[in-house]
Amino acid sequence: MPLQYLKNVSTLKLTPEKCTGCGMCLNVCPHDVFFLNGRTIQIKDKDNCMECGACVKNCPFEALSVNPGVGCAAAILIGMFKGTPPQCGCS
């Protein structure tokens, strides 16, 4: 099971009307956030998203958006490196 970050804070968004089900996001997501449902991708668990941006960079149809390198995932990683608690500014 992938590491879960803080609940309900990921900036990941999917626009289903733009998704063609090509599966690129499935191939590049390091935390198993997506699944294929018929001919479109759906978000399996948004809380698993580390906001790396790989899915957005690899989606040829611009069906995904995320603010990479910001928010709680970045705060958790910085905290791990510094040995401090996450300081992401969300409540």
Side-chain angles (χ1 to χ4, degrees), residues 75-85 87:
I76 288 171
L77 293 172
I78 291 168
M80 288 171 65
F81 290 126
K82 291 184 176 180
T84 62
Q87 300 283 329

Side-chain angles (χ1 to χ4, degrees), residues 28-90:
V28 299
C29 179
H31 284 197
D32 197 30
V33 172
F34 306 99
F35 71 98
L36 185 61
N37 184 15
R39 295 183 181 202
T40 61
I41 295 296
Q42 290 189 348
I43 296 173
K44 182 189 314 183
D45 193 341
K46 191 173 176 177
D47 293 330
N48 284 349
C49 178
M50 63 184 265
E51 298 177 319
C52 67
C55 59
V56 174
K57 289 180 182 176
N58 287 280
C59 180
F61 304 99
E62 298 179 352
L64 295 162
S65 67
V66 73
N67 293 330
V70 300
C72 293
I76 288 171
L77 293 172
I78 291 168
M80 288 171 65
F81 290 126
K82 291 184 176 180
T84 62
Q87 300 283 329
C88 60
C90 53

